[in-house]
Short mmCIF file of all heavy atoms in Angstrom, two decimals:
data_model
loop_
_atom_site.label_atom_id
_atom_site.label_comp_id
_atom_site.label_asym_id
_atom_site.label_seq_id
_atom_site.Cartn_x
_atom_site.Cartn_y
_atom_site.Cartn_z
N ALA J 380 79.67 82.47 127.36
CA ALA J 380 78.68 81.44 127.67
C ALA J 380 79.11 80.04 127.20
O ALA J 380 78.92 79.06 127.92
CB ALA J 380 77.33 81.81 127.05
N ALA J 381 79.70 79.94 126.03
CA ALA J 381 80.10 78.62 125.52
C ALA J 381 81.17 77.99 126.40
O ALA J 381 81.10 76.80 126.74
CB ALA J 381 80.59 78.75 124.08
N GLY J 382 82.16 78.77 126.80
CA GLY J 382 83.22 78.25 127.66
C GLY J 382 82.72 77.87 129.04
O GLY J 382 83.12 76.85 129.60
N ILE J 383 81.84 78.70 129.59
CA ILE J 383 81.27 78.40 130.90
C ILE J 383 80.44 77.14 130.85
O ILE J 383 80.55 76.25 131.71
CB ILE J 383 80.44 79.60 131.41
CG1 ILE J 383 81.34 80.81 131.66
CG2 ILE J 383 79.66 79.24 132.66
CD1 ILE J 383 80.59 82.11 131.88
N THR J 384 79.62 77.01 129.82
CA THR J 384 78.78 75.82 129.66
C THR J 384 79.63 74.57 129.49
O THR J 384 79.35 73.53 130.10
CB THR J 384 77.83 75.99 128.46
OG1 THR J 384 77.04 77.16 128.65
CG2 THR J 384 76.93 74.78 128.29
N ALA J 385 80.66 74.65 128.66
CA ALA J 385 81.53 73.49 128.44
C ALA J 385 82.20 73.07 129.74
O ALA J 385 82.30 71.86 130.03
CB ALA J 385 82.58 73.82 127.38
N SER J 386 82.66 74.02 130.55
CA SER J 386 83.33 73.65 131.80
C SER J 386 82.36 72.99 132.77
O SER J 386 82.72 72.03 133.47
CB SER J 386 83.99 74.87 132.44
OG SER J 386 83.02 75.80 132.84
N ILE J 387 81.12 73.44 132.81
CA ILE J 387 80.12 72.81 133.68
C ILE J 387 79.80 71.40 133.21
O ILE J 387 79.77 70.46 134.00
CB ILE J 387 78.85 73.69 133.76
CG1 ILE J 387 79.15 74.98 134.51
CG2 ILE J 387 77.71 72.92 134.44
CD1 ILE J 387 78.05 76.01 134.43
N VAL J 388 79.55 71.24 131.90
CA VAL J 388 79.19 69.93 131.36
C VAL J 388 80.32 68.94 131.55
O VAL J 388 80.11 67.82 132.02
CB VAL J 388 78.78 70.05 129.88
CG1 VAL J 388 78.69 68.69 129.21
CG2 VAL J 388 77.47 70.80 129.74
N PHE J 389 81.55 69.32 131.17
CA PHE J 389 82.67 68.39 131.30
C PHE J 389 83.00 68.10 132.76
O PHE J 389 83.37 66.98 133.11
CB PHE J 389 83.89 68.90 130.54
CG PHE J 389 83.71 68.82 129.05
CD1 PHE J 389 83.80 69.95 128.27
CD2 PHE J 389 83.43 67.61 128.43
CE1 PHE J 389 83.63 69.89 126.90
CE2 PHE J 389 83.26 67.54 127.06
CZ PHE J 389 83.36 68.67 126.29
N GLY J 390 82.88 69.09 133.63
CA GLY J 390 83.08 68.84 135.06
C GLY J 390 82.07 67.86 135.60
O GLY J 390 82.40 66.96 136.38
N PHE J 391 80.82 67.98 135.17
CA PHE J 391 79.77 67.05 135.59
C PHE J 391 80.06 65.64 135.08
O PHE J 391 79.95 64.66 135.84
CB PHE J 391 78.41 67.53 135.09
CG PHE J 391 77.28 66.61 135.43
CD1 PHE J 391 76.82 66.49 136.73
CD2 PHE J 391 76.67 65.85 134.44
CE1 PHE J 391 75.79 65.63 137.05
CE2 PHE J 391 75.64 64.98 134.74
CZ PHE J 391 75.19 64.88 136.05
N LEU J 392 80.45 65.53 133.81
CA LEU J 392 80.76 64.21 133.25
C LEU J 392 81.93 63.55 133.96
O LEU J 392 81.89 62.35 134.25
CB LEU J 392 81.04 64.33 131.75
CG LEU J 392 79.84 64.69 130.88
CD1 LEU J 392 80.28 64.91 129.43
CD2 LEU J 392 78.77 63.61 130.96
N ILE J 393 82.96 64.30 134.25
CA ILE J 393 84.11 63.75 134.96
C ILE J 393 83.71 63.31 136.36
O ILE J 393 84.17 62.28 136.86
CB ILE J 393 85.27 64.77 135.00
CG1 ILE J 393 85.79 65.03 133.60
CG2 ILE J 393 86.38 64.34 135.92
CD1 ILE J 393 86.34 63.83 132.87
N ALA J 394 82.84 64.09 137.01
CA ALA J 394 82.38 63.72 138.35
C ALA J 394 81.58 62.42 138.30
O ALA J 394 81.65 61.61 139.23
CB ALA J 394 81.52 64.83 138.94
N LEU J 395 80.82 62.20 137.24
CA LEU J 395 80.08 60.95 137.12
C LEU J 395 81.01 59.77 136.89
O LEU J 395 80.81 58.68 137.42
CB LEU J 395 79.09 61.03 135.93
CG LEU J 395 77.86 61.91 136.14
CD1 LEU J 395 77.04 61.95 134.85
CD2 LEU J 395 77.02 61.41 137.30
N ILE J 396 82.05 59.96 136.11
CA ILE J 396 82.96 58.87 135.76
C ILE J 396 83.85 58.49 136.94
O ILE J 396 84.02 57.31 137.24
CB ILE J 396 83.82 59.27 134.55
CG1 ILE J 396 82.94 59.41 133.30
CG2 ILE J 396 84.93 58.25 134.30
CD1 ILE J 396 83.63 60.05 132.12
N PHE J 397 84.41 59.46 137.64
CA PHE J 397 85.42 59.18 138.65
C PHE J 397 84.92 59.20 140.08
O PHE J 397 85.67 58.95 141.01
CB PHE J 397 86.60 60.13 138.50
CG PHE J 397 87.37 59.88 137.24
CD1 PHE J 397 87.25 60.75 136.16
CD2 PHE J 397 88.19 58.79 137.12
CE1 PHE J 397 87.94 60.52 134.97
CE2 PHE J 397 88.89 58.55 135.94
CZ PHE J 397 88.77 59.41 134.88
#
Side-chain angles (χ1 to χ4, degrees):
I383 294 168
T384 302
S386 66
I387 291 170
V388 168
F389 289 121
F391 178 71
L392 291 175
I393 295 299
L395 287 177
I396 293 169
F397 292 105

